[in-house]
Amino acid sequence: MNSYIKTKTTLLLALLLFGLVTAFAEEQEDPEETRLREEMYKYFDTSDRLAFEDAVHQLRSYYKTMGKWHEMYTAWENEIVYDINNDHFYSALKKTEAMNDFIMSNNHMDEFYRMDYLMGMFYGTRNNIAMCKKYLDQALEKLKGRKEYRAEASNIYMLLANILAFDNPDSATISIDKCIALCEDNRDLSAALQMKCIIEFGKKDRTGFIKAYNKNSQIKLSDPKEYNPSYEDYVEQGMASFEGRFDDALEINSKMNNRLDQLLFLTKIYDMKGDRAAEAEALKTLLKAREKWYSEISSMEINDISNDINLEQMRREKDKAYDLMTYIALGACVLGVLFLSYFIWSRRRHMRELMEQNHQLILARDHAQEADRMKTAFIQNVSHQIRTPLNAVSGFSTILANQIDELADDERQDLAKRIEHSATIITNSLNHLITLSDVDSINMNNNSETINCHEFCREIVKEFKPMKQTIGFSYSSSIGQDVTVKSNRSLLKSVIMEILMNADKFTDEGGITLSSDMKDGMWLLSVTDTGTGIPEGDEERIFGHFTKIDDFSEGLGLGLTFCKNIALRLGGDVVLDKDYHDGARFIVKIPA
């Protein structure tokens, strides 16, 4: 149920803003306060982050000036929740820390529960349920005895129920029942009843679902202005499933905007329908979608951190330059009065030294920034490329363990093949990193090993099997069966297998061909595919470290670098055939 957090934070923004509207409904409001609040409300559900933040800052400044601290912190909380809702978690965490420092420095300890509330929400979005529950429980403890307890505790119990709905439905039921008991108006109550329906749907409890559904429907009919439709689509899918109208449930599901929520409910619908094959397929798609989302979040956080570091460096350089110019100006005034001629000579010498120092600093800064950029790219790439197949292994293993009886033989074989493929990706990635860390240390003592060219290729053909059933694999040779060469059999085999797996990765239809030829005293091993090919201008760049033509493809961008380095150590080379345009053709040259 953690994929619901984004929907929940959108609802929370609405509740926070609604709180600002109603908090002082009985008082005569300042027209300026009304204008600023409506300006913030206009942008809270849009992607215009700058406009929303500007509106929030103006409203916060107004409340600060008026001494309305509770309202000021509520507006500040809006800004943090907006960042969480739009996946700017690093920014949200920094703003939470800033709010914490402000509360402590101003001794507003009555507002300190907000820190635990926001941290709980932050950990909830990161799928860390234990830490999320810990902070939300701390927020509830700090709210005890406060006049805001009912409203704030209702929101916290709603969030807890939201997070635990499918992972721990019994605990979620306890939280949502407490939330319902604390609701003070039909707007909050209707949202809580819909969440109750979602939890009962996850538990397959028809009686509990119908009871909550009927109460929610009654509010919709009797008080439509206060009715909150936030989870209506989720609830209607559950009702259709309980009534056996699975086609209606699937149609509602297909119109959902949130992809993760859509897939999560799809697995539940197929589970209730008893369609195990469709359920397994939906679960596989959900695992892939979650991994993609986590990867995007990691990339955004790395970019946010990198931008923050760059801004901090620029600020420090600006401050240093300002301080330096201040000292120079002061010295110029003193020396100008006392020794004008000496000042001119000294100043010229000092400026020359300063320019040289600045030049050295610029060189050092550029070098540090480039190193930092390469480090960030490397960490991001390694993190994604190793974590993605690990998650695939975990997810597919879970399917095999939990649904072995429901899966057909070809489905089990397909899952086993995917697990094996993911394990191979991890192994190859780690091998490439270890090998390239010190290429010169590779044992080349077996370069004189006699290799039968034909038998070597037949062994490759026997071992290599394309992952995709839509492509074929063939072998051709123009040399005799008794022709031999002297080289390192193990390293040469690793080079050919790496190029074949690379061809398999970028070929969706057609075929892959391994060819063996002799020309000008060189044994030529060619791997030809009908895949996407290499864009013009990238023919040489692809052999560089961490270079990938497609950033979303598997691997660390080290495969061709590995092949090139090993081939050179064997006295040969790896080149791209630039005259072939129906895919890609890589030629491994080994001395005959």
Side-chain angles (χ1 to χ4, degrees), residues 145-178:
R146 298 280 306 281
K147 63 179 182 180
E148 301 90 359
Y149 177 80
R150 289 185 65 89
E152 297 292 352
S154 175
N155 283 339
I156 294 174
Y157 282 124
M158 179 72 165
L159 184 56
L160 269 173
N162 197 328
I163 294 166
L164 299 170
F166 284 162
D167 296 311
N168 192 337
D170 292 333
S171 296
T173 299
I174 295 173
S175 294
I176 199 61
D177 288 342
K178 290 181 179 180

Side-chain angles (χ1 to χ4, degrees), residues 534-543 549 576-578 586:
I534 306 299
E536 184 177 356
D538 290 329
E539 293 88 349
E540 296 299 326
R541 189 174 72 87
I542 55 175
F543 292 102
I549 301 302
L576 174 70
D577 186 352
K578 299 180 182 179
F586 288 91

Side-chain angles (χ1 to χ4, degrees), residues 325-356:
M325 293 305 297
T326 300
Y327 294 139
I328 292 174
L330 180 60
C333 292
V334 174
L335 294 175
V337 173
L338 300 176
F339 306 101
L340 181 59
S341 60
Y342 177 79
F343 164 75
I344 295 174
W345 174 82
S346 177
R347 184 174 182 274
R348 287 178 178 176
R349 185 185 66 178
H350 180 72
M351 290 301 294
R352 284 194 299 268
E353 294 175 351
L354 182 61
M355 290 176 63
E356 179 61 24

Side-chain angles (χ1 to χ4, degrees), residues 194-238:
Q194 291 169 43
M195 181 56 61
K196 176 79 170 178
C197 288
I198 292 171
I199 296 170
E200 300 298 343
F201 173 63
K203 294 163 61 177
K204 298 183 183 179
D205 186 341
R206 178 185 177 89
T207 302
F209 180 93
I210 296 299
K211 183 177 179 180
Y213 183 89
N214 289 337
K215 289 182 179 180
N216 182 63
S217 299
Q218 184 178 357
I219 295 175
K220 185 176 181 179
L221 291 174
S222 62
D223 195 5
K225 291 184 179 180
E226 286 297 306
Y227 175 73
N228 190 334
S230 296
Y231 299 112
E232 196 169 60
D233 288 343
Y234 302 97
V235 173
E236 291 304 322
Q237 290 180 66

Side-chain angles (χ1 to χ4, degrees), residues 431-446 488 491 562 565-566 569:
N431 285 340
H432 291 168
L433 285 173
I434 295 170
T435 301
L436 290 176
S437 66
D438 190 3
V439 174
D440 293 334
S441 67
I442 296 177
N443 184 4
M444 306 299 292
N445 294 331
N446 295 327
N488 188 310
L491 290 176
F562 166 83
N565 289 346
I566 296 301
R569 293 294 307 280

Side-chain angles (χ1 to χ4, degrees), residues 158-393:
M158 179 72 165
L159 184 56
L160 269 173
N162 197 328
I163 294 166
L164 299 170
F166 284 162
D167 296 311
N168 192 337
D170 292 333
S171 296
T173 299
I174 295 173
S175 294
I176 199 61
D177 288 342
K178 290 181 179 180
C179 173
I180 291 173
L182 291 170
C183 288
E184 297 180 321
D185 53 55
N186 284 334
R187 180 180 181 82
D188 294 344
L189 181 58
S190 57
L193 288 170
Q194 291 169 43
M195 181 56 61
K196 176 79 170 178
C197 288
I198 292 171
I199 296 170
E200 300 298 343
F201 173 63
K203 294 163 61 177
K204 298 183 183 179
D205 186 341
R206 178 185 177 89
T207 302
F209 180 93
I210 296 299
K211 183 177 179 180
Y213 183 89
N214 289 337
K215 289 182 179 180
N216 182 63
S217 299
Q218 184 178 357
I219 295 175
K220 185 176 181 179
L221 291 174
S222 62
D223 195 5
K225 291 184 179 180
E226 286 297 306
Y227 175 73
N228 190 334
S230 296
Y231 299 112
E232 196 169 60
D233 288 343
Y234 302 97
V235 173
E236 291 304 322
Q237 290 180 66
M239 175 57 79
S241 298
F242 276 120
E243 292 180 348
R245 296 183 289 107
F246 296 107
D247 289 340
D248 292 343
L250 292 173
E251 182 179 357
I252 298 172
N253 181 271
S254 66
K255 298 177 182 179
M256 295 178 66
N257 294 324
N258 189 305
R259 179 60 173 165
L260 293 177
D261 288 355
Q262 181 188 38
L263 292 170
L264 179 60
F265 266 75
L266 194 60
T267 61
K268 298 301 178 182
I269 294 171
Y270 283 132
D271 177 36
M272 191 171 291
K273 186 178 179 181
D275 190 343
R276 300 307 177 195
E279 180 187 0
E281 187 62 31
L283 182 57
K284 288 190 288 185
T285 306
L286 176 60
L287 290 171
K288 293 179 181 178
R290 277 180 171 169
E291 173 55 28
K292 180 181 178 182
W293 185 70
Y294 290 145
S295 178
E296 291 172 351
I297 294 305
S298 297
S299 297
M300 290 177 66
E301 288 184 330
I302 290 174
N303 290 335
D304 286 344
I305 294 171
S306 177
N307 291 335
D308 191 60
I309 291 173
N310 291 336
L311 289 173
E312 179 64 17
Q313 289 177 339
M314 292 174 63
R315 183 190 66 77
R316 290 181 178 179
E317 290 174 3
K318 182 179 179 181
D319 291 342
K320 288 180 180 178
Y322 177 82
D323 292 340
L324 181 60
M325 293 305 297
T326 300
Y327 294 139
I328 292 174
L330 180 60
C333 292
V334 174
L335 294 175
V337 173
L338 300 176
F339 306 101
L340 181 59
S341 60
Y342 177 79
F343 164 75
I344 295 174
W345 174 82
S346 177
R347 184 174 182 274
R348 287 178 178 176
R349 185 185 66 178
H350 180 72
M351 290 301 294
R352 284 194 299 268
E353 294 175 351
L354 182 61
M355 290 176 63
E356 179 61 24
Q357 291 175 2
N358 285 341
H359 178 67
Q360 296 299 323
L361 287 173
I362 290 172
L363 292 177
R365 182 202 62 192
D366 292 343
H367 178 74
Q369 288 179 345
E370 177 63 16
D372 185 69
R373 184 194 65 78
M374 291 183 66
K375 179 191 70 176
T376 300
F378 171 75
I379 292 174
Q380 180 179 350
N381 199 8
V382 170
S383 174
H384 173 71
Q385 296 302 335
I386 292 182
R387 185 177 59 188
T388 297
L390 276 176
N391 283 338
V393 170

